[in-house]
Amino acid sequence: MRIDAQLKAGDEQQAQNELDHLARYGLIRREDNNGQVKDGSKYLYSKDSNVRAHRKMIVKFADNPKLAAAIPTKRRPAVKVSNVKTVTVRALKKLKRLNVLYLTANPDEQNSLRIDAEVRQVQEAVRGSKLRDNIELLYRPAADLDSLVDGLNDYAPGIVHFSGHGYSGGLAVDHAKVTRPKRRILTFEHLGKAFAAVDTPPRVVVLNACESAGAEKALLPLVSAIIVMRDSVSDIAATALATRFYAAIAAGQSLKSAFKQGVLAVEHASINEADIPQLITAPGVNSATFYLV
């Protein structure tokens, strides 16, 4: 469309304004002349095929502004959401607090374990969780019986975790001296007596050590649940279990779901060891409704 040269100056300007208005709102197309028409026009105007196809609807809404205002848009959705609850850091902090006493011992130089890597991965998993402010990992390396009892007294942990070597009758703890590492055996019986010697024993005990299933008899009357190993377990499987288990706990999952996620991680990392971890609960405890945070 070209402006008729016969229009008067006032009419010409009015027509130009109307064309610019239509072009501004995408109702017609405007492009630079670039010499396509040799009449001195700066712009060329043409109909828009999309507008032509929806002309009736456009006119309908143009004649009824209220109807147009009710049309859903990206910024104004059709469904109005009400009563949305915003989760704040303050609200999260009001949830349960969980202290995890994370004991490790690696006194066997000939069969050294990568426990430091396990702890690091667990720390990173918790740090990246939504409930990270509600969980504190109390890491105690080169642990012995004193480390356990002091931790129970000082923090009343909800979970006591031990990573290291284990045997059918107990755990290989450190001799707690600066000299060459040497192991000492902490029997499951003494482990249970330590829990019985405090006013608030842990709710869950995780023994991420070989052959730790023998702890059931000594511990289960004192705590709600234990996670143990039926047989020998590799560094890879032990680390996968611990990392995924605590990531799930820190995400607000139940004990049952957290354990299942840990076993899934073991199966993915070392398929032959998926049956080694075992969750055992005390009578009357339902792990599916058991939450630590």
Side-chain angles (χ1 to χ4, degrees):
M1 294 181 287
R2 285 180 291 172
I3 301 175
D4 193 339
Q6 301 299 320
L7 292 175
K8 296 180 181 179
D11 294 337
E12 182 178 341
Q13 184 60 50
Q14 181 180 354
Q16 181 67 56
N17 292 343
E18 292 178 355
L19 289 170
D20 288 340
H21 178 79
L22 293 172
R24 184 178 303 114
Y25 290 97
L27 297 175
I28 61 174
R29 298 178 60 188
R30 186 180 77 174
E31 56 185 333
D32 292 334
N33 189 352
N34 292 329
Q36 298 177 58
V37 177
K38 298 179 180 179
D39 63 355
S41 300
K42 184 175 181 181
Y43 300 110
L44 297 179
Y45 299 88
S46 61
K47 295 179 180 180
D48 186 286
S49 59
N50 186 59
V51 172
R52 292 181 67 186
H54 299 87
R55 181 177 180 278
K56 290 183 179 181
M57 185 176 293
I58 292 172
V59 172
K60 175 183 177 181
F61 292 125
D63 292 339
N64 192 339
K66 290 184 178 180
L67 183 62
I71 296 300
T73 65
K74 183 181 292 185
R75 294 176 181 269
R76 187 180 61 243
V79 179
K80 294 184 178 180
V81 180
S82 59
N83 299 324
V84 176
K85 295 183 179 180
T86 302
V87 180
T88 63
V89 173
R90 180 178 297 179
L92 288 174
K93 288 183 177 179
K94 290 182 179 179
L95 297 175
K96 295 178 183 177
R97 296 284 303 176
L98 174 64
N99 287 337
V100 180
L101 182 60
Y102 212 103
L103 306 170
T104 67
N106 194 15
D108 192 339
E109 291 184 326
Q110 294 183 347
N111 297 286
S112 183
L113 301 173
R114 288 289 283 143
I115 297 174
D116 50 352
E118 173 192 320
V119 174
R120 176 179 173 178
Q121 291 187 34
V122 170
Q123 289 173 331
E124 290 176 351
V126 172
R127 188 181 297 117
S129 70
K130 66 179 180 180
L131 299 178
R132 58 183 175 273
D133 293 327
N134 300 82
I135 298 178
E136 185 170 2
L137 291 178
L138 304 159
Y139 174 39
R140 297 295 182 268
D144 61 359
L145 179 60
D146 288 336
S147 304
L148 170 63
V149 176
D150 288 342
L152 293 172
N153 288 338
D154 295 341
Y155 305 109
I159 297 179
V160 168
H161 180 111
F162 176 82
S163 285
H165 288 292
Y167 305 90
S168 58
L171 306 172
V173 297
D174 202 277
H175 68 342
K177 297 180 181 179
V178 181
T179 56
R180 186 174 181 177
K182 186 177 180 180
R183 71 185 183 187
R184 300 184 66 180
I185 300 300
L186 174 62
T187 66
F188 294 135
E189 182 181 1
H190 281 99
L191 184 61
K193 287 183 177 180
F195 295 147
V198 294
D199 293 331
T200 308
R203 302 176 68 196
V204 176
V205 175
V206 180
L207 300 181
N208 207 8
C210 298
E211 301 179 14
S212 53
E216 178 181 355
K217 183 178 179 180
L219 302 187
L220 214 50
L222 302 167
V223 302
S224 297
I226 59 174
I227 293 176
V228 292
M229 303 297 153
R230 292 188 176 99
D231 203 341
S232 297
V233 61
S234 67
D235 268 337
I236 294 175
T239 299
L241 174 76
T243 302
R244 181 44 51 195
F245 173 77
Y246 286 106
I249 291 294
Q253 295 292 306
S254 68
L255 177 62
K256 180 178 180 179
S257 294
F259 177 73
K260 289 174 68 176
Q261 290 184 29
V263 172
L264 177 63
V266 172
E267 184 176 0
H268 181 68
S270 179
I271 191 170
N272 293 329
E273 297 180 89
D275 293 332
I276 293 177
Q278 183 179 15
L279 170 63
I280 309 173
T281 58
V285 175
N286 185 353
S287 61
T289 58
F290 191 101
Y291 293 88
L292 289 149
V293 288

